[in-house]
Amino acid sequence: MDVSTIFGSMVFNETVMQERLPKEIFKSLKQTMEEGTALDLTVANSVANAMKNWAIEKGVTHYTHWFQPMTGITAEKHDSFISPMPGGKVIMEFSGKELIKGEPDGSSFPSGGLRATCEARGYTAWDPTSYAFIKDGSLCIPTAFCSYSGDALDKKTPLLRSMEVIDKQCRRILKLFGKDIKKVTPTVGPEQEYFLIDKDLYDKRKDLMFCNRTIFGAKPPKGQELEDHYFGAIKPRVDAFMKELDEELWKLGILSKTKHNEVAPCQHEMAPIFTTTNLSADQNQLTMEIMKKVAQKHNLVCILHEKPFAGVNGSGKHNNWSLSTNTGENLLEPGNTPEDNAQFLLVLTAIIKAVDEYQDLLRLSVAFAGNDHRLGADEAPPAIISIFLGDELTAILESIMSGKPYDKKAKEVMKLGVDILPAFPKDNTDRNRTSPFAFTGNKFEFRSLGSSMSISCPNIMLNTITAEALCQFADELEKADDFNTALNALIKKTLNEHKRIIFNGDGYSQEWVEEAERRGLLNLKTTTDALPHFLDEKNIQLFLKHKVHTKAEIEARYKIQMEDYCKVLNIEVMTMLEMVKREILPAVINFTKDVADSALSVKNLLGESRAKTQIELVKTLSALTDELTNTTANLEEIIGKIKDYDDVTDCAKFYTAAVIPAMNDVRQIADKLETIVGNDYWPFPTYADLLFRI
Ligand code: ADP
Ligand code: MG
């Protein structure tokens, strides 16, 4: 395989554009891509035609506006290029209008009340900053999805808005340092974790099929304790999957770079090379889709759920985030000159302030039912948001805050903008895996994201909150008489105000929970604790100020996410009840009957004393069967009360407080039964089968 020829072969990227577009058209499109200038229809017509011809040469017959509604996955509706001609013939057509705007009947997508069904039509609008690509014989055009009143109905629109906001505020800051920069772009590299399970075994488990996670399953004799899977040799079947995955991703221009086995058995990771945030968000959606598709070809199922198996690690997504200028400078690179150091420290300080002031937004951007199993479960970052900077950088900041020398031997106090920052070692990411938000040398790694989720929302938050802090800084510094004095004072004051968010210790420890409480940091343990903060006045004001969300959009998003939480849990409860009643109980009853029959036969033959094992087992089985029946009845009674709650917040809170504990009770008994019921009787594959058979 010649990687350099297949790479990007299915993408209408800049090289293809340059080859196929008239010079003037290419220039004008490039300006739109880089500077966001409006695209006129003649340009669009020419681009559409070139795209169509390129696609047809590759066997494509259809096009689709590819968008990201609030379901968290992608949506597409395919139209063919055909257009009727006299004489019963067709020609292949694709106009600029069709490229720029589409009108899918989006009435079944969640809108959180932003559209009444009678005016259901939303429209999709081309995002020229993300390349069109070919997937399954269709030309896919990345688009934003909005209502007719202009409200965003998707995850892309606010992400693009947040990118504009951070661009604008970063440029104001850079100007203060004498740099006239055209564009600052947030960049992201999302590391994607996933599980691979044998399809035949998967098909035998309703919980995996309906919930993407196991809701039953006793701990197998072996889990991940030997740590023999992490970075271990890749098994042939998985290797074949990974090779094909890479090939498919490369064709789509996705920079798949790293692959390895993860901590849990059957768990793996793919990390791409970072790119512009919206492209990265699009590509991550595609990656997840392609992972699932390629797995099927190998008779495997790719599970992206955050916690498919209890007792072994769940899957997350590490969102490596940074800010780059069009001149190739990374604003999170500490730099080598006093001016660059000062600029770095100002940006770093802004991020520290932003994360402290908007802990709630970062936390809620990763909140949903699946991720509740992970955060705070001692395998993923805690629900408490804090920043890890490493000891060296923290010591430098402490010296700035206190005015005391950084290096005890050198007596000088470091003067910002004059002295060069002492060298501090680049943290290697594994040094502190317990931190949700870690500085790793020239980028921040936000580690709380769930593996199945779109990365859009967390990045909307990162961009917007950082932009707000930078905006406040620029407001102050732009009117300062002496820039350096003002800069020093601002950094010192801000760090002192927000240093509580910096924590370099063990995020899994109980001491941290207590310490964080003393520091006044939020500990929003569940989705229902976190999401309501979306509606806090300070947060609404933030989004309105920067025009990232309208108030109606925030309210709609809140409602959609709360409803989603309730729906996910309802499906889990229904699956649980079905599996208990139609699979587990019948199996246990069968087994109990056979053991009881055996007890009777042995007793008749040899007397009761020789049938002790069977009799005791029947007693245990029947006691546990009663408990299973009781806990299941209790769960049914509790879920029956859901209809009493009209308000979505109350309903979600009831799920957290009452339904989840009742589910845990059922599971605990069923899992106990699994360990004593004969292998041949148990109605579905166990953890040992699922995790160790590939
Ligand atoms: P590790 O985290 O294992 O040390 P790296 O730091 O090289 O590995 O990268 C991890 C991820 O971070 C990769 O997806 C990489 O492309 C991404 N990354 C590296 N630099 C940046 C950056 N400036 N902005 C965003 N992501 C980045
Ligand atoms: Mg990493």
Side-chain angles (χ1 to χ4, degrees), residues 191 318 320 429 445:
E191 301 165 51
H318 291 174
N320 294 276
T429 33
E445 189 167 329

Side-chain angles (χ1 to χ4, degrees), residues 187-191 271-274 320-322 324 330 428-429 440 442-443 445:
T187 53
V188 168
E191 301 165 51
I273 296 172
F274 69 98
N320 294 276
W321 173 87
S322 183
S324 322
N330 175 356
N428 80 51
T429 33
T440 54
N442 59 3
K443 62 186 189 292
E445 189 167 329

Side-chain angles (χ1 to χ4, degrees), residues 184-226:
V184 177
T185 319
T187 53
V188 168
E191 301 165 51
Q192 175 73 50
E193 292 181 336
Y194 59 96
F195 278 85
L196 286 178
I197 302 296
D198 183 88
K199 172 123 185 3
D200 296 339
L201 297 172
Y202 169 95
D203 286 342
K204 294 191 177 118
R205 292 210 47 146
K206 292 204 173 97
D207 47 5
L208 284 176
M209 276 165 66
F210 297 139
C211 314
N212 296 311
R213 75 175 183 103
T214 56
I215 50 179
F216 295 107
K219 198 180 169 332
K222 179 177 189 256
Q224 64 188 39
E225 54 278 80
L226 294 179

Side-chain angles (χ1 to χ4, degrees), residues 159-319:
L159 181 64
L160 291 172
R161 292 176 187 156
S162 76
M163 289 172 70
E164 276 176 33
V165 172
I166 195 149
D167 167 43
K168 183 168 149 200
Q169 300 305 334
C170 284
R171 281 189 287 112
R172 284 178 72 193
I173 294 290
L174 290 169
K175 198 154 209 168
L176 290 165
F177 285 90
K179 295 178 189 168
D180 198 8
I181 293 293
K182 266 211 171 125
K183 189 153 183 136
V184 177
T185 319
T187 53
V188 168
E191 301 165 51
Q192 175 73 50
E193 292 181 336
Y194 59 96
F195 278 85
L196 286 178
I197 302 296
D198 183 88
K199 172 123 185 3
D200 296 339
L201 297 172
Y202 169 95
D203 286 342
K204 294 191 177 118
R205 292 210 47 146
K206 292 204 173 97
D207 47 5
L208 284 176
M209 276 165 66
F210 297 139
C211 314
N212 296 311
R213 75 175 183 103
T214 56
I215 50 179
F216 295 107
K219 198 180 169 332
K222 179 177 189 256
Q224 64 188 39
E225 54 278 80
L226 294 179
E227 291 173 349
D228 49 354
H229 195 255
Y230 190 55
F231 283 15
I234 297 167
K235 292 182 180 150
R237 208 165 149 200
V238 174
D239 188 48
F241 160 85
M242 285 179 169
K243 284 206 169 100
E244 192 173 335
L245 175 66
D246 271 342
E247 204 176 315
E248 292 305 316
L249 295 177
W250 288 336
K251 281 188 204 160
L252 288 166
I254 298 172
L255 293 155
S256 173
K257 173 86 174 163
T258 312
K259 53 186 181 185
H260 62 80
N261 285 348
E262 258 301 329
V263 174
C266 289
Q267 193 187 25
H268 315 278
E269 181 183 299
M270 188 288 284
I273 296 172
F274 69 98
T275 182
T276 317
T277 303
N278 70 318
L279 201 57
S280 189
D282 285 358
Q283 294 191 338
N284 184 252
Q285 292 298 125
L286 270 177
T287 300
M288 293 194 284
E289 181 184 328
I290 289 165
M291 279 179 164
K292 289 186 185 158
K293 260 190 209 155
V294 172
Q296 294 266 347
K297 287 205 213 161
H298 295 261
N299 202 37
L300 294 165
V301 179
C302 174
I303 297 184
L304 293 168
H305 192 282
E306 283 67 30
K307 191 72 182 174
F309 304 100
V312 295
N313 277 7
S315 301
K317 191 136 56 186
H318 291 174
N319 189 84

